Amino acid sequence: MTGMVALYIFMLAAFTGYEVISRVPVILHTPLMSGSNFVHGIVLVGAMVALGGAHTPLEKTIGFIGVLLGAGNAVGGYVVTERMLEMFKSSRARAARPRPH
Amino acid sequence: MLAGMSADSGVQASYFVTAVLFIMGLKRMSSPVTARSGILWAGAGMLVATLITFLYPGMSNYGLILPAMLIGGVLAWWSGKRVAMTNMPQMIALYNGMGGGAAAAIAAVELYRGGTEGYASTTLAVAGGIIGAVSFSGSAIAFGKLQGLITRSIRFRGQQLLNLLLLAAALLLGALVAAQLNASLAVVTGFFLLALLLGLTMTLPIGGADMPVVISLYNALTGLAVGLEGFVLNNAAMIIAGTVVGSAGTLLTQLMAKAMNRSLGNVLFSGFGDTGAAATGEVSGSLKPIEASDAGVMMAFASKVIVVPGYGMAVAQAQHKVWELCQLLIDRGVQLRFAIHPVAGRMPGHMNVLLAEAGVPYDLIADLDEINAEFETADVALIIGANDVVNPVARTDKSSPIYGMPILNADKAKNVIVIKRGKGAGFSGIENALFYLDNTRMLYGDGQKAAAELIQAIKAVE
């Protein structure tokens, strides 16, 4: 990847993020923030690569913390987003099941 | 800047698939019909990327990587499964801070070992490092505040000056590193410590009410930091995912700030957002109480009822009882809807999550723009635990601190019933003119108990 290509990717990704979010109803703001929080958990991959190339004890220590935090971001982000979205059901889906009361 | 990498093409192809899955997942998450599958798509993308990274060329230290993943993953899984829906905003802050910390850690490892090549790559590592570190310590403070661990907003004279000096010092050290003038252990370490400190001092003075906007901002910043470190590592999945979240998060932050009638600059630099703002505005009239039995009859014979829930309802854990009440009304043929203000919960959309937890179908829930015209045709507006978001002075009184904030026009309904614990003012400390209107009746009591009494009253009608 050259610098110029990288710049194009950056610009297109920025527009994509803007477009994906711009028509979202308010009811989904919290789950969506949580979902985007999960997506940047991809930082785990970078932390793995950084720790995988670490040599000195200092680098290894920081790399270890990085992977731990990155895994926390990815897993925690997934669990809470999934829990929230699982609850969103429409009237029809409700009617298909017996009422709890 | 991105030369010199010849990673296995299979790994790169997998990262491409991950990026596609992320974008499609986010897209699906933006509609309630497909949202559930959206997180599964994104989750699949994460799984692919994580597994394939074990095959990344030139990797070592697997003995450290695996336990670190296991510890972080298990702790997050355990806490994420346990957290109550009311505490969701601070958990998002916590996990987001972890991501920022991870991005800063990547920058630190790369800068310590001299892994960056050329000015551009080093500069990007430094930029991602400072943003990630600020997001890390700032999110930790945001978590502490919403969780009730930090109860005071620490403010003093010259605070903004201190923040500015910290920022300048961090940027100076960062510039030394980026320009490759001095990338010694001491300078790099000092740079990161200053950035962490800046996150603390920036976030401490911000009041609890503004925290959702701050969390959203830090979410965007973490995304940006991840994208920047993605350039450093030449990792397309990180670049695309990070940048998408960075821009989506920025937009989400703006939408939230707008919904709360606050500008981002105001949130970050003014130190409002606590209770106890000037409680001005005289209100004339009296509060007129009503018994649950009368209120129940009124709703049972209404043709259209709009329920306006606020955070107070969630605090009283009344959402299940309220939904039970609403189901009774629906069974009687009453046309019923929930009206949700963007900031009805702790953050926009939070109330929808809380109602969904109680089993309310999302198509009964309307947001402000959809429902506001309907209040005029409603026989009863039932306000439960909401206050400032239905205060008509936001439309009428220019001297009020909430003037201009979009509100739900509950005052236009033929009858208004307000369930309220006591006679106190709202979150902002402003008297609510709605409570004093001629068509308003106050039903005093705990939200859960009041809802139960209403259920009894409606059942008695049959």
Side-chain angles (χ1 to χ4, degrees):
Chain A
M1 246 185 301
T2 67
M4 211 55 211
V5 172
L7 210 58
Y8 276 114
I9 293 179
F10 181 77
M11 179 197 69
L12 292 172
F15 273 114
T16 306
Y18 195 90
E19 276 304 310
V20 164
I21 298 287
S22 59
R23 283 178 297 272
V24 172
V26 179
I27 75 160
L28 282 173
H29 276 185
T30 293
L32 197 67
M33 191 163 117
S34 180
S36 63
N37 179 30
F38 163 69
V39 164
H40 69 51
I42 190 69
V43 72
L44 168 63
V45 165
M48 287 167 73
V49 172
L51 176 55
H55 297 296
T56 67
L58 175 68
E59 290 162 20
K60 285 181 183 171
T61 307
I62 296 174
F64 185 86
I65 296 171
V67 172
L68 193 151
L69 292 174
N73 182 183
V75 173
Y78 182 84
V79 170
V80 297
T81 309
E82 206 264 347
R83 273 186 63 195
M84 279 193 270
L85 290 177
E86 193 198 19
M87 300 182 311
F88 280 88
K89 295 188 174 76
S90 74
S91 298
R92 261 185 308 164
R94 261 193 61 75
R97 298 187 318 161
R99 280 184 184 171
H101 298 294
Chain B
M1 64 174 169
L2 299 160
M5 293 286 292
S6 58
D8 179 37
S9 55
V11 173
Q12 296 299 344
S14 302
Y15 285 164
F16 176 78
V17 171
T18 295
V20 173
L21 285 171
F22 277 167
I23 292 172
M24 292 179 71
L26 276 175
K27 181 71 206 163
R28 294 184 80 79
M29 270 185 253
S30 62
S31 158
V33 185
T34 54
R36 179 77 213 289
S37 64
I39 184 66
L40 298 178
W41 286 58
M46 189 71 77
L47 204 61
V48 167
T50 310
L51 291 179
I52 204 74
T53 302
F54 282 104
L55 305 177
Y56 203 86
M59 290 268 283
S60 58
N61 294 331
Y62 288 110
L64 289 172
I65 293 175
L66 278 170
M69 285 176 73
L70 207 65
I71 297 170
V74 167
L75 281 178
W77 181 274
W78 176 76
S79 58
K81 283 285 180 198
R82 279 180 76 245
V83 61
M85 282 297 153
T86 39
N87 294 336
M88 215 40 107
Q90 53 263 48
M91 283 322 272
I92 297 174
L94 190 66
Y95 299 137
N96 173 54
M98 293 174 110
I106 294 170
V109 171
E110 293 303 310
L111 291 174
Y112 279 131
R113 80 184 183 105
T116 55
E117 291 167 24
Y119 292 115
S121 178
T122 317
T123 306
L124 291 171
V126 166
I130 188 171
I131 295 170
V134 165
S135 174
F136 174 66
S137 55
S139 296
I141 297 293
F143 170 78
K145 287 206 170 199
L146 287 180
Q147 190 69 20
L149 302 173
I150 305 167
T151 46
R152 287 183 55 232
S153 296
I154 299 155
R155 289 177 201 140
F156 50 86
R157 286 169 73 86
Q159 195 153 25
Q160 301 302 342
L161 189 68
L162 174 74
N163 289 346
L164 209 64
L165 286 176
L166 279 173
L167 177 66
L171 286 178
L172 183 73
L173 292 188
L176 282 180
V177 178
Q180 297 175 356
L181 293 171
N182 184 347
S184 65
L185 193 73
V187 172
V188 174
T189 307
F191 164 72
F192 280 106
L193 289 180
L194 282 170
L196 288 172
L197 192 61
L198 177 64
L200 296 182
T201 59
M202 256 177 73
T203 320
L204 275 171
I206 301 172
D210 280 336
M211 269 311 148
V213 180
V214 175
I215 294 172
S216 180
L217 177 70
Y218 285 146
N219 184 41
L221 286 181
T222 301
L224 186 60
V226 172
L228 290 171
E229 298 308 327
F231 282 113
V232 175
L233 297 175
N234 198 20
N235 184 315
M238 282 173 73
I239 297 174
I240 295 172
T243 311
V244 164
V245 173
S247 76
T250 306
L251 181 62
L252 211 51
T253 309
Q254 285 170 345
L255 291 175
M256 283 193 187
K258 201 171 139 228
M260 299 172 79
N261 200 29
R262 309 271 285 130
S263 79
L264 201 52
N266 238 330
V267 169
L268 290 177
F269 304 118
S270 79
F272 169 83
D274 263 340
T275 49
T280 54
E282 292 292 308
V283 184
S284 59
S286 60
L287 295 168
K288 295 163 284 292
I290 189 172
E291 291 299 319
S293 50
D294 297 333
V297 171
M298 196 193 270
M299 289 199 289
F301 291 103
S303 63
K304 185 171 180 178
V305 173
I306 298 177
V307 182
V308 182
Y311 193 62
M313 181 192 74
V315 171
Q317 286 294 317
Q319 56 268 44
H320 292 88
K321 278 280 170 215
V322 169
W323 174 227
E324 199 183 328
L325 165 70
C326 294
Q327 280 173 303
L328 274 181
L329 292 172
I330 292 169
D331 290 345
R332 287 186 62 87
V334 176
Q335 195 192 340
L336 183 131
R337 297 200 77 184
F338 286 87
I340 310 287
H341 191 273
V343 292
R346 273 288 179 79
M347 58 171 63
H350 189 201
M351 182 54 69
N352 304 80
V353 173
L354 297 172
L355 288 177
E357 188 191 18
V360 180
Y362 61 80
D363 44 1
L364 289 185
I365 302 175
D367 65 22
L368 189 131
D369 297 330
E370 272 177 89
I371 199 90
N372 248 349
E374 287 193 34
F375 277 105
E376 285 173 34
T377 59
D379 300 293
V380 179
L382 177 68
I383 319 287
I384 169 159
N387 195 336
D388 292 332
V389 299
V390 288
N391 192 344
V393 300
R395 286 199 312 262
T396 53
D397 182 2
K398 283 198 178 160
S399 67
S400 172
I402 60 168
Y403 179 74
M405 179 170 92
I407 59 156
L408 289 163
N409 297 330
D411 54 316
K412 302 264 172 82
K414 285 170 201 140
N415 296 286
V416 181
I417 299 173
V418 179
I419 298 179
K420 201 167 178 309
R421 276 181 86 86
K423 299 186 181 182
F427 202 53
S428 59
I430 304 159
E431 276 293 345
N432 194 332
L434 175 74
F435 300 168
Y436 296 88
L437 293 178
D438 288 336
N439 55 345
T440 302
R441 294 291 177 275
M442 307 297 288
L443 178 56
Y444 289 112
D446 170 72
Q448 201 172 149
K449 206 167 132 274
E453 285 169 7
L454 286 173
I455 290 170
Q456 289 308 317
I458 292 167
K459 280 186 177 161
V461 167
E462 326 232 313

